[in-house]
Amino acid sequence: MLAGAIIQLSLIKPLPAMNLKRVFIITLFIAFVSCQNKKSGNALPPVNNKGVNIAYTDSSEGDTTLLFVHGWCINKSYWQDQVKYFSKNYRVITIDLPGYGQSGKNRTEFDSKAYAGDVKAVVNQLKLSNVILIGHSMAGDIVLKAALENQKVIGIIGIDNFKSVGVAPANPAQAKKEFAEAIALMKKNFKAVALKYFNEQLFYKTTSEAIKKRIINDVTHADTVIAVKNMEDDWPDEAVLLKQLNKKLYLLNSDYDPTNESGLKAKHLPYDLTYIHATGHFPMIEKPDEFNKLLSGILKRFK
C-alpha cells in the first residue's frame, strides 16, 4: 500500500532525488493517520437493521468479542472505561441501541425483541465469532433474546440485572395495576417520574454528584416516546428463556439492591453471581477500576 502511494505520487509529477525522502515521510504519515482513523472508528463499515443505522465502536482485534449493550436512556459512552481496559485482550464493541446516542430512530418498535434483532445484526454484519454479550439493566433481556437467536454467541453477562428471575410478585394483579399507573404517569410527565425513580431507586449514597448529573442529563434529554415504549415492552419470562439458552448466566451486580437468588435455585438454572459493593445501578462508571477487575475475573472462568 505504501509503495503504491509513492508510485502514484511519482506519476503526478517527476520527483527530484533530494525530495524523495520528504515524499516518503509524508506518505508514511498519511498511512499512519489512515490507520489511526480506522482504529478510532472513523472508517467503520455501516451497520443497520432494516434500514435503521446502528452506531458502534470497534477495537477491531481479538479472537473473542465482548459486545457491550447499554441500559435505559443512556448510550455506548458509558462503556468507555471498559473499552480501554479490555481492548488489550479482546475485540471490544459497544453499540447505541436505536433511539439512543447516535443510532437511528426511524421505526416504531423499540422493545426487547426489536433490540435483540439489532444486536443480531451487529454480530452478523461484522461477521463476529466467539461473542460474549454484556448487557446493563434492561439490556439483560435484550442480550438474552439475542443469544437465543445467534449461535455465534457463546454466553451472556448481566450487569445489575436479572435480580428476581423466577420470583413472582406476591400480588400479580396489584403489581400489574401499579405498573400501568406508572406508565400513565410517565406519559403525562416523563421527566418528573424518571427523576424520582433514578434518585430514589438507582443511586447509592456514594454515587458522586458528577455521575448523578451526567446520568440525569442523559435521561432528561432522551426521546420520551421511545423511553416509554421501552418500558411498555412485554418483558419475557426470564426463567423460561434462560432454560432455553442452556448456558450459565454470569452476573456482576451492585449490592445496593441484593439479588434474589431463590428463583434461580428453585428452577435449577446455572448462574455465577459476583457482587460489586457500594455503588448504585451504574457500577461501570461509578467504580470503573474495581468493575473492570471483577469483570475480568468473570471472563477468566467463562465457559
Side-chain angles (χ1 to χ4, degrees), residues 105-156:
K105 56 174 71 176
N106 50 313
R107 71 183 187 203
T108 58
E109 294 81 20
F110 295 94
D111 56 17
S112 57
K113 180 179 179 180
Y115 282 145
D118 298 320
V119 174
K120 183 178 179 181
V122 173
V123 172
N124 290 342
Q125 291 177 37
L126 296 181
K127 299 180 180 179
L128 305 179
S129 59
N130 299 321
V131 182
I132 298 174
L133 299 178
I134 303 171
H136 170 247
S137 192
M138 76 168 189
D141 286 342
I142 293 169
V143 299
L144 173 55
K145 286 185 176 182
L148 286 167
E149 298 177 358
N150 202 309
Q151 295 181 347
K152 297 174 183 177
V153 176
I154 61 176
I156 65 173

Side-chain angles (χ1 to χ4, degrees), residues 163-164 253-261 275:
K163 289 194 165 185
S164 57
N253 287 350
S254 305
D255 63 359
Y256 76 102
D257 177 24
T259 302
N260 186 339
E261 302 173 53
Y275 274 124

